Amino acid sequence: GQQPQGQGQQQQGQAQGTDNSNANNAAGRGGGGGGGGGPGGGMGGGMSTFTTFGAVPVNGKNFYRLLAAGEVVLLFPGGVREAFKRRGEDYQLFWPSKAEFVRMAVRHGATIVPFSAVGAEDGIEILADADDIIKLPFGLGDAAREQSRAMPTARAVDTRVTNDGMGEETFVQPLVVPLTPQRYYFKFGKPVSTAGLYEAGFLDDEEGVATMYAGVKGEVEDGID
């Protein structure tokens, strides 16, 4: 599959998994894979492989608990839709218009660190994407769609569908062929501190929240460009 263009990481504590002090940090990346219902979303026996590296099922409750416990959280705002791209969508972000992870970061006084990754999507060619696969005849496409709908989801309501006009998020991996291995590049943007904003009532400022969200996304997009 593809690597994500949009990721986010939330960190509370001064060192990942070692210091649960009052300093909170968070980060967000843009890329192509693994959020939403991605690697922590529960994939049968494969879940144990992910938990070895600290993954947990992807949902809002776990997100909240991890930040409250002073953990580092790596977040893919684009989720599966961004991981399993369609043909011609290289390095595009599919973040929701609602600033969900910004609000969570502010709630815990976390620092958001935008970051970008380039390279993965240059190393594959998509032969058949999710849209192609669910259109396969002889019941193959229907089976792929039903299997996708049975997968756990990170969002009880996907506002990208209800508010933003995007299609249903389908957990259907594209059929790809590898190309020449590419060099990977990672760029970290300017950290965005949210310390003290919750106590100051920042979450009541819809325009301010939207501006912060747009700034984080812009940093990710600039890193990809």
Side-chain angles (χ1 to χ4, degrees):
Q2 293 172 293
Q3 294 296 319
Q5 280 177 343
Q7 299 181 11
Q9 182 178 8
Q10 313 250 338
Q11 177 183 4
Q12 288 187 317
Q14 295 176 348
Q16 181 169 355
T18 59
D19 185 347
N20 291 337
S21 65
N22 291 328
N24 296 345
N25 301 308
R29 158 193 166 180
M43 297 179 64
M47 185 60 191
S48 61
T49 301
F50 295 120
T51 56
T52 300
F53 298 96
V56 299
V58 182
N59 56 56
K61 182 180 293 186
N62 279 338
F63 192 12
Y64 184 96
R65 287 174 172 173
L66 287 167
L67 288 182
E71 297 289 346
V72 175
V73 181
L74 179 64
L75 176 69
F76 300 81
V80 173
R81 178 62 184 86
E82 193 171 281
F84 294 160
K85 286 188 168 65
R86 276 53 167 177
R87 285 193 294 258
E89 294 180 346
D90 292 3
Y91 296 110
Q92 293 183 36
L93 302 185
F94 292 92
W95 292 16
S97 60
K98 287 186 173 295
E100 298 161 336
F101 74 82
V102 165
R103 289 184 171 278
M104 189 73 81
V106 171
R107 174 65 181 81
H108 294 278
T111 299
I112 302 170
V113 184
F115 69 103
S116 311
V118 174
E121 295 180 22
D122 297 312
I124 61 169
E125 179 182 353
I126 299 177
L127 299 182
D129 59 30
D131 292 341
D132 298 322
I133 292 171
I134 62 178
K135 292 177 183 177
L136 290 174
F138 309 116
L140 296 176
D142 291 339
R145 184 190 296 275
E146 290 307 310
Q147 184 179 26
S148 168
R149 288 175 174 170
M151 297 298 294
T153 179
R155 299 177 173 92
V157 176
D158 192 341
T159 57
R160 294 173 299 179
V161 177
T162 59
N163 292 16
D164 304 338
M166 292 189 193
E168 176 186 358
E169 184 172 73
T170 53
F171 207 120
V172 178
Q173 183 170 341
L175 176 63
V176 304
V177 292
L179 303 176
T180 304
Q182 300 293 312
R183 187 183 299 272
Y184 282 54
Y185 298 90
F186 299 89
K187 180 180 179 181
F188 289 83
K190 182 179 180 180
V192 180
S193 174
T194 69
L197 293 182
Y198 179 73
E199 292 77 8
F202 181 76
L203 292 181
D204 295 327
D205 181 0
E206 295 289 343
E207 183 176 350
V209 171
T211 299
M212 181 179 290
Y213 183 66
V216 173
K217 186 177 181 182
E219 282 278 321
V220 172
E221 292 173 329
D222 288 345
I224 294 171
D225 293 339

